[in-house]
Amino acid sequence: MSRSRPWVACFGEALVDFLAGAPARPGLPRQFAEYAGGAPANVAAAVARLGGQARFIGMLGTDMFGDFLLGELSRMGVDTRDVRRSDAAPTALAFVSLDAIGERSFSFRRPPAADLLFRESDLRADAFDDVGTLHVCSNSLTEVPIADATLAAMRRARGAGARVSMDVNLRPSLWPAGVDPAPRIWSALDEADIVKLCRGESLFLQASLGHVDADPAEAAVLERLWQGRARLVLVTDGDAPVRWFTRDARGEVAAYRVDVVDTTAAGDAFMGGVLHALSLQDPALDLDRLLETPASVDALVRQGAACGALATTRHGAFAAMPDAEALRQLMQGQR
């Protein structure tokens, strides 16, 4: 298998974000701007925008929104050979509103949605032969069939020699009423080498383990993650420092200072930055070797933090992803 320039493959949902704006003038309806988004698709766009090799794996509807997303993925430089289309359900939509400091809230139109119809049989037999890292999130675990396809993709990627990355990215409103997300999320986390959480997700997972009052918040979660395959755990908390953990060390990286406009895709940009930096490392080294020193982990996390910060300075998701020059300027300007 060639590892000279390994691909970052991102599996799951792509959707259209409709960002709410003010009326053109008083008395008129609100206006919504159309942006390409969806957590794993955002990560693919972030990697491609930085000059990396990124591929998106998922299902889009055969509607105008699916056409739009396919075009935007291609325009960003993302490989779409593993995008499937279905007329059995529409492309997912999300309506996004921002508060005064750019924090977002979502209203989803999913299910039904085409991305939930992807099955293991939709994967090419050699889908992961050139992949260095497969990235997923929990939005493709909300129903049993798509959860089965997600876990199958994670295991097949590992079998082909790829690392597996997971951003929990919990969106409770996407889960059916009465379904506890924790068991399926833990089943996927057990397959992941790299895990990204925000503080709220760390608290959710901590509670799922029966440790409601544990301090620090991630202590019980880390203990459980180390029982699986995890080698690197990243915990973000808005503009607070990013905390990172390996099995042998821990540290934190301060956030970059920027003027925040829209936080919609900050976490996805963060993961895109980390995974792109990882894809540039010596392909002969396994993950434990790449994470051997705190300095090596800090370098990965710093790039992720810079990408996440830059993504908050523009509206949208794909549209907010920084290029390599913007990243270089920020990192050099705020050493």
Side-chain angles (χ1 to χ4, degrees):
M1 159 189 340
S2 172
R3 294 284 180 179
S4 58
R5 293 189 64 196
W7 289 80
V8 176
C10 300
F11 174 86
E13 86 279 4
L15 52 78
V16 178
D17 289 326
F18 285 99
L19 180 62
R25 61 178 183 270
L28 293 180
R30 280 189 299 179
Q31 297 184 334
F32 288 85
E34 180 185 43
Y35 290 97
N42 292 340
V43 175
V47 172
R49 182 76 168 136
L50 291 171
Q53 291 180 288
R55 180 175 300 148
F56 178 70
I57 305 172
M59 185 85 73
L60 300 174
T62 55
D63 50 23
M64 70 173 73
F65 301 119
D67 294 343
F68 169 70
L69 288 169
L70 189 63
E72 288 298 287
L73 285 164
S74 297
R75 189 178 67 82
M76 293 295 294
V78 175
D79 186 318
T80 60
R81 75 184 71 180
D82 290 316
V83 174
R84 305 290 176 254
R85 305 293 297 270
S86 174
D87 59 6
T91 301
L93 308 177
F95 294 84
V96 188
S97 61
L98 304 175
D99 65 15
I101 60 172
E103 285 295 331
R104 72 281 191 269
S105 59
F106 296 97
S107 178
F108 292 100
R109 295 300 177 264
R110 173 185 185 262
D115 64 280
L116 297 171
L117 302 180
F118 196 98
R119 300 293 180 261
E120 182 182 2
S121 59
D122 292 310
L123 290 168
R124 289 181 293 117
D126 59 350
F128 302 110
D129 285 359
D130 57 355
V131 169
T133 303
L134 171 68
H135 179 73
V136 304
C137 76
S138 71
N139 294 343
S140 59
L141 302 175
T142 56
E143 296 181 0
V144 171
I146 186 61
D148 290 344
T150 303
L151 291 169
M154 296 171 83
R155 291 165 183 155
R156 284 179 56 174
R158 182 184 307 287
R163 308 177 188 103
V164 178
S165 163
M166 181 175 178
D167 180 357
V168 171
N169 196 44
L170 180 61
R171 299 286 182 263
S173 63
L174 292 178
W175 290 77
V179 174
D180 179 6
R184 288 185 207 161
I185 291 176
W186 278 115
S187 68
L189 288 172
D190 284 341
E191 299 291 335
D193 303 291
I194 301 166
V195 173
K196 186 262 184 187
L197 311 165
C198 71
R199 177 172 169 77
E201 291 157 355
S202 180
L203 292 171
F204 167 81
L205 292 173
Q206 173 188 281
S208 78
L209 298 172
H211 297 275
V212 178
D213 298 319
D215 188 36
E218 67 277 345
V221 175
L222 287 169
E223 181 180 356
R224 174 66 177 79
L225 286 169
W226 301 146
Q227 295 173 23
R229 300 180 181 273
R231 293 295 185 271
L232 174 63
V233 178
L234 305 163
V235 183
T236 61
D237 186 13
D239 60 0
V242 179
R243 288 168 290 148
W244 62 259
F245 305 86
T246 66
R247 295 186 177 221
D248 302 313
R250 62 182 58 195
E252 62 178 41
V253 171
Y256 287 85
R257 300 181 302 278
V258 295
D259 294 325
V260 176
V261 172
D262 180 354
T263 63
T264 299
D268 303 326
F270 171 83
M271 282 309 300
V274 170
L275 297 181
H276 176 252
L278 191 61
S279 75
L280 300 179
Q281 304 302 309
D282 184 349
L285 299 178
D286 63 24
L287 187 58
D288 285 331
R289 290 287 303 279
L290 293 173
L291 304 175
E292 199 166 35
T293 67
S296 63
V297 184
D298 275 346
L300 295 174
V301 179
R302 277 198 303 273
Q303 175 157 315
C307 285
L310 286 168
T312 70
T313 64
R314 298 178 63 186
H315 286 302
F318 285 22
M321 297 305 168
D323 61 19
E325 178 58 22
L327 183 69
R328 183 192 67 78
Q329 291 183 11
L330 181 64
M331 295 182 72
Q332 289 187 353
Q334 296 187 34
R335 289 186 181 274

